[in-house]
Amino acid sequence: MAKLTKVKITDVAEYAGVSVSTVSLVLGNKGRISESTINKVNQAVEALGYVRNNAAANLRSNHSNLIGLILADITDPFYNEVTAGLSAELEKHDHMLFLAQSNHQADKLIQCVQSMIQQGVAGIAFSPVREATSQVISMAKQAGIPAVCLARAAVNNDVDYIGPDNSQAAVLATQHLIEQGHRHIAYVGGFCDSLTRAERIGGYCTTLMQYGLPFKNEWVVETGNNQSQAADCVQQLLTQHPKITALLCHRPAIALGAIYGIQRVGKSVGKDNYIGQQVGLIGFDDTPEATLTQPALTMISSPTRQIGEKAAQRLLVKMTNETDDVQRLILPPQLIERGSA
């Protein structure tokens, strides 16, 4: 079998009958080059199957088309949509993502940032780890590249932040349940160290107080993002506090698990709260699985793909315009009403 020979830029220049510098200018879309010369170079590239070494070109020009994206958990559905929006927007401008994961570990996040800077990324988008966020900001500034924070909740005012309005999401959900006639509403899921949970509980509590309804600490319970745990938690909650007629669920998995907990106490999911046999249910972060239950789950949807798009747009602006201003963009939620509340 014949050994394949790598096509070099000198081969393209010879085939097209032009200089190497002319080929470089055409490939970089720079300089004043005639249309006929551009066509000759492009024909040579296609005929020879030449693939440009972008890494080497970046070193020569001190410019990169790579954007670093560091997520806390790449399996998180929220960040899947954010990544899709970020990638699609960057590709419109000939940029690509360099993806890494921190696993919620501060030292891992710092290591990822160091690696990306060494690889010459033109900007960084990251989901924060509180113990490391300030250091990430300093590292990016020292490297002379822009950084944007993507998260469910803001953790630092010194960096551009794009995320959902968690407080307003809880206001929408709580108001909807109150308008359906519910007066005893509980919040299920998350843990006390979650800033997202804190923002949502703030909106939930404020709305209850505005309507003169009770906020009871024992009706705000913690549980992991697991259907089985959520089912046990909701069963125990409704057994101990049978007056509760509606639940706000911190994550989709908790809402799905809550259905089983409600059934275990002899009740069902639905909008009729007057005879005490149905429990209203609303989950945060809409998911396709919410439409598969009976009844389908009412959910709060955050514009996750748009968060990614806006982050890309902000990075592109900061890459082309030197500015130290910090922007916070909070995107509004939407109530997706279905049969569960």
Side-chain angles (χ1 to χ4, degrees):
M1 182 179 293
K3 185 177 180 180
L4 294 176
T5 303
K6 183 178 179 181
V7 179
K8 301 178 181 178
I9 193 170
T10 52
D11 299 323
V12 176
E14 182 179 352
Y15 189 100
V18 298
S19 67
V20 170
S21 60
T22 298
V23 174
S24 182
L25 288 171
V26 171
L27 294 177
N29 196 27
K30 297 176 181 178
R32 289 186 170 183
I33 310 295
S34 69
E35 192 69 28
S36 61
T37 300
I38 292 173
N39 289 335
K40 283 196 294 185
V41 171
N42 287 334
Q43 288 169 5
V45 166
E46 186 174 351
L48 297 175
Y50 175 72
V51 178
R52 189 185 189 211
N53 187 333
N54 282 324
N58 290 338
L59 287 172
R60 289 192 297 270
S61 65
N62 196 30
H63 175 74
S64 171
N65 71 333
L66 291 177
I67 299 296
L69 173 60
I70 310 169
L71 301 178
D73 180 3
I74 61 175
T75 66
D76 189 324
F78 176 89
Y79 288 112
N80 288 343
E81 282 295 302
V82 170
T83 301
L86 186 69
S87 179
E89 189 67 22
L90 288 174
E91 286 175 4
K92 295 178 185 178
H93 301 272
D94 298 322
H95 284 75
M96 295 182 65
L97 283 182
F98 180 4
L99 180 62
Q101 175 176 261
S102 72
N103 291 318
H104 300 278
Q105 298 174 15
D107 58 345
K108 181 66 175 177
L109 175 58
I110 292 169
Q111 181 184 359
C112 288
V113 173
Q114 287 174 335
S115 295
M116 288 185 172
I117 291 173
Q118 290 169 357
Q119 293 297 321
V121 297
I124 290 177
F126 68 100
S127 55
V129 177
R130 268 183 282 179
E131 298 85 353
T133 300
S134 294
Q135 187 169 345
V136 169
I137 297 168
S138 297
M139 292 168 67
K141 287 182 178 179
Q142 193 170 21
I145 60 175
V148 171
C149 179
L150 302 168
R152 285 192 171 92
V155 297
N156 194 302
N157 293 325
D158 297 326
V159 65
D160 285 78
Y161 166 73
I162 301 172
D165 192 334
N166 291 308
S167 178
Q168 182 60 24
V171 169
L172 285 178
T174 309
Q175 281 181 340
H176 178 77
L177 290 171
I178 293 171
E179 289 167 359
Q180 296 296 315
H182 294 281
R183 298 295 179 266
H184 302 88
I185 304 168
Y187 190 101
V188 180
F191 293 102
C192 61
D193 62 348
S194 167
L195 291 175
T196 300
R197 183 177 185 266
E199 290 178 353
R200 289 175 179 169
I201 289 176
Y204 155 73
C205 177
T206 299
T207 307
L208 291 178
M209 294 174 62
Q210 288 176 345
Y211 283 85
L213 298 177
F215 172 83
K216 297 187 177 182
N217 287 326
E218 61 268 29
W219 289 4
V220 178
V221 293
E222 298 182 6
T223 187
N225 189 32
N226 177 287
Q227 289 190 38
S228 179
Q229 294 175 4
D232 293 341
C233 178
V234 168
Q235 179 184 5
Q236 183 178 2
L237 178 67
L238 295 180
T239 299
Q240 294 176 347
H241 307 283
K243 286 186 177 182
I244 293 173
T245 63
L247 304 174
L248 294 181
C249 295
H250 186 63
R251 292 282 182 86
I254 296 170
L256 293 168
I259 296 172
Y260 298 100
I262 291 169
Q263 292 172 348
R264 289 177 189 173
V265 296
K267 297 183 179 183
S268 61
V269 176
K271 296 183 177 182
D272 183 4
N273 65 301
Y274 296 104
I275 60 175
Q277 292 304 306
Q278 288 197 322
V279 177
L281 190 62
I282 295 182
F284 294 96
D285 299 337
D286 192 25
T287 178
E289 289 77 12
T291 64
L292 303 178
T293 62
Q294 290 294 331
L297 295 179
T298 294
M299 301 289 284
I300 298 293
S301 175
S302 295
T304 46
R305 184 173 288 261
Q306 190 180 1
I307 290 171
E309 293 170 353
K310 294 294 185 182
Q313 292 166 9
R314 181 60 180 160
L315 278 173
L316 290 166
V317 167
K318 297 195 77 170
M319 285 159 52
T320 54
N321 299 293
E322 293 186 7
T323 174
D324 291 328
D325 69 310
V326 174
Q327 292 187 3
R328 290 169 55 85
L329 181 59
I330 311 298
L331 300 180
Q334 180 182 5
L335 176 76
I336 310 297
E337 185 175 359
R338 302 188 180 108
S340 68

